[in-house]
Amino acid sequence: MLTVHHLNQSRSHRVIWALEELALPYEIVHYQREKNMLAPESLKRVHPLGKSPVIEDNGLILAESGAILEYLQETYDPESRLKPLDPAHKVQYRFWLHYAEGSLMPLLLMKLVFNSLGKPPVPFGIRTLGKALGQGVQKAYLNRQLETHARFIESHLAANSWFAGDTLSMADIQMSFPIFALLARGGIPNLPHIQAWKTKVENSPGWQKTLQQGGPLSIPGED
């Protein structure tokens, strides 16, 4: 049986969702974030990076969301239910699988970090300076970058039901966390097609079962 090492409030919800969509049996080992929101040291006993998600399958230990999703699809999805067959859609599938963590998530992580410079645990004496620095970087660079990415995604979803074709695929599962983070942190108005995609995801039986198994997913916003 597959084992998912699952950290609360994390990207590992995507792996649980993929397993639910593939109807695979699995077990979850749950981990809770520390007070500083970092993963516990116990995860390093599973994988040297101490990150989640990690899966175990027949002696294989595999980290990284994209690698895990590709592995699950290639190993347990012979009918290609979660990978498009159309050549053009395959190109989109590969793009969004890599784009999610390669292009979008670094910006969203920077947004979280710079938005936190004026708050604990930053020392009280430098919070005013930290807040000014964080707001300056966001105004000069981050906000414009996120606007560009949001409009790019919005344009794609205006012309496509899902990220890679007409049905749900691993590309959608991979994009779920950064899309939720973008809507929580981006502060960008008028994204109806992204919002509609998010609503479809939230209403899907697979995602609802994911929340039952993995717990709620609440991504910190700008406040």
Side-chain angles (χ1 to χ4, degrees):
M1 181 180 292
L2 280 152
T3 299
V4 182
H5 294 272
H6 170 62
L7 180 65
N8 70 307
Q9 303 285 12
S10 80
R11 294 164 168 86
S12 54
H13 278 79
R14 294 184 292 195
V15 175
I16 298 173
W17 185 14
L19 292 168
E20 288 294 336
E21 294 293 341
L22 291 171
L24 292 174
Y26 64 93
E27 61 181 2
I28 300 177
V29 180
H30 291 269
Y31 299 83
Q32 294 293 314
R33 293 184 181 274
E34 305 285 358
K35 290 183 179 179
N36 59 9
M37 294 305 292
L38 296 178
E41 285 291 313
S42 55
L43 262 171
K44 288 186 177 179
R45 293 196 291 268
V46 181
H47 190 280
L49 293 179
K51 302 291 185 180
S52 175
V54 175
I55 65 166
E56 293 185 69
D57 185 28
N58 295 317
L60 172 70
I61 297 176
L62 185 62
E64 289 294 337
S65 299
I68 292 170
L69 296 186
E70 284 194 289
Y71 169 79
L72 292 175
Q73 192 283 318
E74 291 171 358
T75 307
Y76 295 107
D77 186 21
E79 298 177 352
S80 287
R81 288 174 291 163
L82 294 178
K83 182 177 181 179
L85 297 176
D86 177 81
H89 292 159
K90 281 185 178 180
V91 173
Q92 291 293 337
Y93 174 86
R94 181 174 291 112
F95 171 80
W96 294 109
L97 274 176
H98 290 273
Y99 169 87
E101 295 292 332
S103 294
L104 186 54
M105 272 311 300
L107 293 171
L108 292 165
L109 180 58
M110 289 172 65
K111 180 78 172 175
L112 178 65
V113 170
F114 281 107
N115 197 47
S116 302
L117 291 181
K119 307 171 185 177
V122 173
F124 179 79
I126 62 172
R127 286 180 198 167
T128 300
L129 177 61
K131 181 178 180 179
L133 174 63
Q135 290 178 342
V137 172
Q138 291 180 68
K139 183 177 180 180
Y141 173 72
L142 272 180
N143 292 345
R144 288 186 294 175
Q145 285 291 312
L146 285 172
E147 174 90 17
T148 296
H149 283 263
R151 299 304 171 198
F152 169 63
I153 297 168
E154 176 70 12
S155 176
H156 178 74
L157 290 177
N160 298 273
S161 301
W162 297 92
F163 274 99
D166 300 324
T167 58
L168 176 78
S169 74
M170 288 294 191
D172 297 281
I173 294 175
Q174 178 74 337
M175 282 294 293
S176 61
F177 190 90
I179 289 293
F180 292 169
L182 176 65
L183 292 174
R185 298 174 191 163
I188 301 167
N190 192 27
L191 299 173
H193 295 96
I194 294 178
Q195 290 282 0
W197 177 90
K198 181 174 182 283
T199 298
K200 283 194 300 184
V201 168
E202 291 175 329
N203 290 336
S204 69
W207 179 252
Q208 292 177 10
K209 187 67 179 295
T210 297
L211 297 181
Q212 294 173 13
Q213 298 296 320
L217 179 62
S218 178
I219 298 176
E222 291 193 274
D223 294 333

